[in-house]
Amino acid sequence: MSKRVVVGMSGGVDSSLAALLLKEQGYEVIGLFMRNWNEEDENGCCSADADYGDVRSVCQKLDIPYYTIDLSKEYYDRVFKHFVSEYSRGRTPNPDVLCNKEIKFDSFVKHALALGADHVATGHYCNVSHTDGRHYLMKAKDEDKDQTYFLNQVSERQLEKVLFPIGNMLKSEVRELAEKYGLSTADKKDSTGVCFIGERNFRKFLSEYIPMKRGEIRTLDGKTVGFHDGVYYYTLGQRKGLGVGGVPFNKDGGRWFVAKKDVENNILYVSQGDQSMLYARELVTDGFNFVNGTPEKKEFRCAARIRHRQKEQNATCRVLENGSVKIEFDDMQRAIVEGQYATLYVGDVCIGGGVIDAVPDRDIRCV
């Protein structure tokens, strides 16, 4: 009998082709659509409905059964509440990472196994190596699309039954093959940004959960140059949407950027010209998830990323007694942002990641 694979179908081209490839390989394929957010947008539309329509179209084309599960409560309790909490602290969270850990590779997998799945598959751009009873998270062939950064919180146990059918393909190859087989999602635009917000205005959406609080925008020497509706809407190093473009500053000029956020006093500090204040060489994580367990050596060399699609940076890492990791980069890094994730690599293996909690060597002084 053929092995049964339940594919996490999102309505996009990647998961659509993943299902097609698995069927071509002789698996018994079942499509399963996750509904993680039920709220309508400002136009009265729910993007989940349109995505499910695309799932239905693809599954009918492939002649495979398909189902939908509502995980919106789990998502709200285990991902969204944390997202709002982090923003209210003035940090910049990444809900997609937590969604993979808590929903896609936990709640979703449990439902898939209940359908008798031997394996679970997704359309992620990454690979998994099942070697000598161990399971390793590996980088994708397409370096630009590699999504291991978003999977840094999964465990080896969660990878045991997982397949990533498009991990060794380029995005262009995925679209070409989807078009060749006549899949309706072949030309569908990739989703961007935070999944549950969709095309809505981010600030307007967030204001429904974190009340706006008007405050001053100041330069580092204390001059008021504008006003904001809440410091938590901004990210360190941000240059767009500050609303102070017409304010003269000095003869050097240059674009304004966020230099510091004072959440307690609701003050946003900005600067122009020299951005050296944003650079730092070290960070400390809040705990750390090692996919394959804590390494024997407490200090080791590796490569690291502090954001998706960043070129890997050489670094020395030290595991602290409390389980956190201190990362010291060979080169200075711009705008290391608390709340985001630092992900570590040894060769093609993603060994894990942790939330950036502190940047010890960055000291931005203001009046």
Short mmCIF file of all heavy atoms in Angstrom, two decimals, residues 305-328:
data_model
loop_
_atom_site.label_atom_id
_atom_site.label_comp_id
_atom_site.label_asym_id
_atom_site.label_seq_id
_atom_site.Cartn_x
_atom_site.Cartn_y
_atom_site.Cartn_z
N ARG A 305 21.92 34.57 11.31
CA ARG A 305 21.06 35.57 10.67
C ARG A 305 20.23 36.24 11.75
O ARG A 305 19.74 35.59 12.67
CB ARG A 305 20.10 34.91 9.67
CG ARG A 305 20.72 34.44 8.37
CD ARG A 305 19.67 33.73 7.54
NE ARG A 305 20.18 33.28 6.25
CZ ARG A 305 19.60 32.33 5.51
NH1 ARG A 305 18.51 31.73 5.95
NH2 ARG A 305 20.12 31.98 4.35
N ILE A 306 20.04 37.55 11.60
CA ILE A 306 19.16 38.27 12.55
C ILE A 306 17.88 38.72 11.85
O ILE A 306 17.05 39.38 12.46
CB ILE A 306 19.87 39.47 13.18
CG1 ILE A 306 20.39 40.44 12.11
CG2 ILE A 306 21.00 39.01 14.09
CD1 ILE A 306 20.95 41.74 12.68
N ARG A 307 17.72 38.36 10.59
CA ARG A 307 16.49 38.63 9.86
C ARG A 307 16.44 37.72 8.63
O ARG A 307 17.47 37.24 8.16
CB ARG A 307 16.38 40.10 9.44
CG ARG A 307 17.53 40.61 8.59
CD ARG A 307 17.35 42.08 8.27
NE ARG A 307 17.39 42.90 9.48
CZ ARG A 307 18.49 43.43 9.98
NH1 ARG A 307 19.67 43.21 9.40
NH2 ARG A 307 18.46 44.16 11.06
N HIS A 308 15.23 37.48 8.13
CA HIS A 308 15.05 36.64 6.96
C HIS A 308 15.73 37.25 5.74
O HIS A 308 15.72 38.46 5.56
CB HIS A 308 13.55 36.47 6.70
CG HIS A 308 13.21 35.68 5.47
ND1 HIS A 308 13.80 34.48 5.16
CD2 HIS A 308 12.32 35.93 4.47
CE1 HIS A 308 13.31 34.02 4.03
NE2 HIS A 308 12.42 34.89 3.59
N ARG A 309 16.35 36.40 4.94
CA ARG A 309 17.03 36.77 3.71
C ARG A 309 18.32 37.54 3.94
O ARG A 309 18.96 37.97 2.99
CB ARG A 309 16.11 37.58 2.77
CG ARG A 309 15.05 36.70 2.11
CD ARG A 309 14.18 37.51 1.17
NE ARG A 309 13.23 36.65 0.46
CZ ARG A 309 12.21 37.09 -0.26
NH1 ARG A 309 12.01 38.40 -0.37
NH2 ARG A 309 11.40 36.27 -0.87
N GLN A 310 18.71 37.74 5.18
CA GLN A 310 20.01 38.35 5.42
C GLN A 310 21.11 37.37 5.02
O GLN A 310 20.98 36.16 5.22
CB GLN A 310 20.17 38.70 6.90
CG GLN A 310 21.53 39.33 7.23
CD GLN A 310 21.80 39.37 8.72
OE1 GLN A 310 21.30 38.54 9.47
NE2 GLN A 310 22.59 40.34 9.16
N LYS A 311 22.18 37.87 4.46
CA LYS A 311 23.32 37.03 4.17
C LYS A 311 23.89 36.52 5.49
O LYS A 311 23.99 37.27 6.47
CB LYS A 311 24.39 37.82 3.41
CG LYS A 311 25.60 37.00 3.01
CD LYS A 311 26.60 37.83 2.23
CE LYS A 311 27.82 37.00 1.86
NZ LYS A 311 28.82 37.82 1.11
N GLU A 312 24.26 35.25 5.55
CA GLU A 312 24.77 34.69 6.79
C GLU A 312 26.02 35.43 7.27
O GLU A 312 26.88 35.80 6.47
CB GLU A 312 25.09 33.20 6.60
CG GLU A 312 23.85 32.35 6.41
CD GLU A 312 24.18 30.90 6.19
OE1 GLU A 312 25.34 30.51 6.45
OE2 GLU A 312 23.30 30.15 5.74
N GLN A 313 26.08 35.64 8.57
CA GLN A 313 27.18 36.38 9.20
C GLN A 313 27.98 35.46 10.10
O GLN A 313 27.42 34.74 10.94
CB GLN A 313 26.62 37.54 10.02
CG GLN A 313 25.71 38.48 9.26
CD GLN A 313 26.45 39.29 8.22
OE1 GLN A 313 27.40 40.01 8.54
NE2 GLN A 313 26.04 39.17 6.97
N ASN A 314 29.30 35.46 9.95
CA ASN A 314 30.15 34.63 10.79
C ASN A 314 30.14 35.15 12.22
O ASN A 314 30.15 36.36 12.47
CB ASN A 314 31.57 34.60 10.25
CG ASN A 314 31.67 33.89 8.91
OD1 ASN A 314 30.96 32.91 8.66
ND2 ASN A 314 32.54 34.36 8.04
N ALA A 315 30.13 34.22 13.16
CA ALA A 315 30.02 34.61 14.56
C ALA A 315 30.56 33.54 15.49
O ALA A 315 30.74 32.38 15.10
CB ALA A 315 28.56 34.90 14.91
N THR A 316 30.81 33.95 16.73
CA THR A 316 31.15 33.02 17.80
C THR A 316 29.98 33.00 18.78
O THR A 316 29.48 34.06 19.18
CB THR A 316 32.43 33.46 18.54
OG1 THR A 316 33.52 33.46 17.63
CG2 THR A 316 32.74 32.51 19.69
N CYS A 317 29.52 31.82 19.14
CA CYS A 317 28.35 31.68 20.00
C CYS A 317 28.74 31.01 21.32
O CYS A 317 29.56 30.09 21.34
CB CYS A 317 27.26 30.87 19.32
SG CYS A 317 26.72 31.60 17.77
N ARG A 318 28.13 31.47 22.40
CA ARG A 318 28.38 30.87 23.70
C ARG A 318 27.05 30.59 24.39
O ARG A 318 26.22 31.48 24.55
CB ARG A 318 29.24 31.79 24.56
CG ARG A 318 29.65 31.14 25.88
CD ARG A 318 30.76 31.89 26.58
NE ARG A 318 30.28 33.08 27.25
CZ ARG A 318 30.53 34.31 26.87
NH1 ARG A 318 31.25 34.53 25.76
NH2 ARG A 318 30.07 35.35 27.54
N VAL A 319 26.86 29.33 24.80
CA VAL A 319 25.64 28.93 25.51
C VAL A 319 25.81 29.31 26.98
O VAL A 319 26.75 28.87 27.65
CB VAL A 319 25.39 27.42 25.39
CG1 VAL A 319 24.10 27.03 26.11
CG2 VAL A 319 25.31 27.01 23.92
N LEU A 320 24.90 30.15 27.47
CA LEU A 320 24.97 30.62 28.85
C LEU A 320 24.31 29.63 29.80
O LEU A 320 23.56 28.73 29.38
CB LEU A 320 24.29 31.99 28.97
CG LEU A 320 24.80 33.06 27.98
CD1 LEU A 320 24.04 34.37 28.21
CD2 LEU A 320 26.31 33.26 28.13
N GLU A 321 24.57 29.78 31.08
CA GLU A 321 24.05 28.83 32.07
C GLU A 321 22.53 28.79 32.12
O GLU A 321 21.93 27.77 32.45
CB GLU A 321 24.61 29.18 33.46
CG GLU A 321 26.11 28.91 33.60
CD GLU A 321 26.61 29.13 35.01
OE1 GLU A 321 25.76 29.45 35.89
OE2 GLU A 321 27.82 28.98 35.25
N ASN A 322 21.88 29.90 31.80
CA ASN A 322 20.42 29.94 31.85
C ASN A 322 19.76 29.43 30.56
O ASN A 322 18.54 29.50 30.42
CB ASN A 322 19.93 31.36 32.14
CG ASN A 322 20.30 32.34 31.04
OD1 ASN A 322 20.94 32.00 30.05
ND2 ASN A 322 19.90 33.60 31.22
N GLY A 323 20.57 28.92 29.62
CA GLY A 323 20.03 28.39 28.38
C GLY A 323 19.96 29.38 27.25
O GLY A 323 19.65 29.02 26.12
N SER A 324 20.23 30.65 27.54
CA SER A 324 20.29 31.66 26.50
C SER A 324 21.60 31.52 25.72
O SER A 324 22.51 30.79 26.13
CB SER A 324 20.19 33.07 27.09
OG SER A 324 18.97 33.22 27.80
N VAL A 325 21.70 32.23 24.62
CA VAL A 325 22.91 32.20 23.80
C VAL A 325 23.39 33.62 23.55
O VAL A 325 22.60 34.50 23.22
CB VAL A 325 22.66 31.49 22.45
CG1 VAL A 325 23.84 31.67 21.51
CG2 VAL A 325 22.39 30.00 22.66
N LYS A 326 24.69 33.84 23.75
CA LYS A 326 25.30 35.11 23.41
C LYS A 326 26.02 34.95 22.08
O LYS A 326 26.82 34.02 21.90
CB LYS A 326 26.29 35.55 24.48
CG LYS A 326 26.91 36.92 24.21
CD LYS A 326 27.81 37.37 25.36
CE LYS A 326 28.36 38.77 25.10
NZ LYS A 326 29.22 39.23 26.22
N ILE A 327 25.73 35.84 21.14
CA ILE A 327 26.31 35.77 19.80
C ILE A 327 27.18 37.00 19.59
O ILE A 327 26.72 38.13 19.75
CB ILE A 327 25.21 35.72 18.73
CG1 ILE A 327 24.29 34.51 18.96
CG2 ILE A 327 25.83 35.66 17.32
CD1 ILE A 327 23.08 34.48 18.04
N GLU A 328 28.44 36.77 19.23
CA GLU A 328 29.36 37.86 18.93
C GLU A 328 29.75 37.73 17.46
O GLU A 328 30.39 36.76 17.05
CB GLU A 328 30.60 37.80 19.80
CG GLU A 328 31.57 38.94 19.54
CD GLU A 328 32.76 38.96 20.47
OE1 GLU A 328 32.75 38.20 21.46
OE2 GLU A 328 33.71 39.73 20.20
#
